[in-house]
Amino acid sequence: MALVSWLSLLLLQVPLAAAQLPTAGWCATGIRQPDFSDDGDVASIDVIVAQSPLFASNPSIGKKLGYVNLYHTALVLVQRVQGEVKNWTVEFDSVTNVLGAVLPGVDGDNLTWDNDARYCVTEGVLWGEAHWSKTFEVAMRLTAKQATRVFTEFVLPTNSSAPHMKPLYQLWKVVDRSGEEQTLIKDITCGDGTNWILNFASKELGVPVLTDFRLRFTELVFVADRVEPVKTDDPTEWSELLEYFKGMVHVVAKGQNIVGRLEDVLRLMPLKYVYDSNADTYFKIIGDRFPWFQARFQETALTGPPWPVVAKYGPEAVALLV
């Protein structure tokens, strides 16, 4: 499955690159927060976990990436009050694009990263309910007051952090090869943003998830013997790291044919370096072995962000579209 995932990503790279480019007026339809109707403190809002194959909105890709466990995760909020129905979609992801989040800009001997991750709120069910073909399941039910607190105490504070500050998008997860699989580098993706909201509502507001609900989402996992921080002030270590990331950028460059791209990918494997943006640390990966990584769609416990979120925000807090 892991090798199939690699080849699928490779062969689809050209349309994926187009799918990942931000559009003009990016998040032009995003809103600050939903306008929930008064429900008299009777739970009226279904919090639905919605999942679709990654980039399914692109006709040239469709549902193909679902075959290799690559799914996008979001929340859909549906409120029903006195016969009136309102819908909103809440996504969490890179505010630029996936490639921009996992590949650096190269300027001579310097690397720069543009991988802020934020929430986006839009009115309606984004792309329609049929788009969310993997999962469309109610996780919990909230009152209007509880749902408002989710936004004022968690979503808006998360969105108000300064550029290049946490949360930052991190596609790769690295675990050790021991039987317990300790996490060495934590990923931060769309599934985490969904998890954090459900966790906030459960832990802070006391709203349990429904009995039969289980949260699952995609993780791209590398299994290694260990990781070591790179000494970025060491010219030799930095030169080796720089050449590796230049190679990664070259793989997705326009004009590369499939054969050339495959040769480049094989030269870059096994995984050698990862930049953990949330720790602001480059790590050398030791002991990554064929088939190099796994795309896992698996059950995950509810957890919050691995850092505190301050429940206050200023006028700069905005919803950003993934």
Side-chain angles (χ1 to χ4, degrees):
M1 180 64 74
L3 180 58
V4 173
S5 299
W6 266 116
L7 294 177
S8 298
L9 288 170
L10 177 68
L11 296 175
L12 288 170
Q13 190 65 61
V14 173
L16 275 179
Q20 291 160 341
L21 291 175
T23 58
W26 197 74
C27 200
T29 60
I31 62 174
R32 188 179 181 88
Q33 67 185 81
D35 57 334
F36 300 115
S37 299
D38 184 11
D39 56 14
D41 292 332
V42 176
S44 64
I45 301 164
D46 287 345
V47 180
I48 297 170
V49 171
Q51 296 173 314
S52 67
L54 197 62
F55 305 118
S57 60
N58 186 317
S60 66
I61 300 173
K63 299 180 180 181
K64 295 183 182 71
L65 294 181
Y67 300 136
V68 289
N69 286 335
L70 297 177
Y71 295 100
H72 176 52
T73 299
L75 288 175
V76 171
L77 309 181
V78 180
Q79 184 180 36
R80 296 178 176 86
V81 176
Q82 296 180 346
E84 181 186 20
V85 180
K86 295 181 177 180
N87 306 292
W88 302 269
T89 304
V90 183
E91 296 182 291
F92 177 85
D93 225 315
S94 165
V95 305
T96 51
N97 56 70
V98 173
L99 284 180
V102 301
L103 293 176
V106 180
D107 181 13
D109 290 339
N110 298 313
L111 300 178
T112 58
W113 297 85
D114 189 7
N115 54 352
D116 292 355
R118 301 292 185 268
Y119 286 100
C120 173
V121 185
T122 50
E123 294 181 326
V125 180
L126 191 62
W127 296 308
E129 184 175 337
H131 170 83
W132 306 99
S133 57
K134 175 61 176 177
T135 307
F136 201 80
E137 181 181 0
V138 178
M140 59 173 54
R141 293 185 171 91
L142 302 175
T143 67
K145 288 181 180 178
Q146 290 168 332
T148 298
R149 287 186 61 189
V150 168
F151 286 88
T152 58
E153 297 179 26
F154 183 75
V155 174
L156 287 172
T158 300
N159 272 11
S160 67
S161 58
H164 309 302
M165 299 294 290
K166 300 172 184 175
L168 299 168
Y169 194 86
Q170 171 62 36
L171 183 61
W172 315 127
K173 179 178 182 178
V174 182
V175 301
D176 71 7
R177 204 175 294 282
S178 68
E180 297 182 358
E181 263 199 10
Q182 297 296 316
T183 298
L184 303 176
I185 300 175
K186 175 73 178 79
D187 55 337
I188 301 291
T189 66
C190 58
D192 292 280
T194 293
N195 194 348
W196 297 346
I197 287 180
L198 296 178
N199 178 76
F200 179 86
S202 178
K203 302 291 176 59
E204 300 300 324
L205 305 182
V207 180
V209 297
L210 299 185
T211 303
D212 294 333
F213 175 78
R214 300 292 184 274
L215 178 63
R216 299 175 177 86
F217 55 82
T218 294
E219 294 180 325
L220 297 181
V221 182
F222 292 84
V223 182
D225 293 335
R226 66 185 190 277
V227 300
E228 295 179 353
V230 174
K231 298 177 181 177
T232 56
D233 58 351
D234 182 302
T236 300
E237 288 196 37
W238 180 253
S239 176
E240 292 174 355
L241 178 147
L242 184 65
E243 289 305 310
Y244 182 77
F245 279 108
K246 284 182 178 179
M248 291 183 67
V249 172
H250 178 71
V251 167
V252 298
K254 291 182 179 179
Q256 276 279 81
N257 60 44
I258 294 298
V259 174
R261 189 176 293 129
L262 177 58
E263 291 174 347
D264 286 341
V265 167
L266 292 176
R267 279 194 290 268
L268 291 170
M269 292 297 110
L271 184 70
K272 296 179 178 67
Y273 296 99
V274 166
Y275 176 56
D276 183 352
S277 51
N278 291 287
D280 192 21
T281 302
Y282 289 94
F283 287 98
K284 186 173 184 178
I285 311 302
I286 299 170
D288 178 33
R289 302 170 191 165
F290 185 84
W292 303 315
F293 92 100
Q294 304 164 26
R296 300 178 181 176
F297 184 78
Q298 60 187 10
E299 184 175 334
T300 305
L302 295 189
T303 59
W307 52 79
V309 174
V310 180
K312 64 179 180 180
Y313 56 91
E316 72 280 6
V318 294
L320 296 172
L321 181 63
V322 58

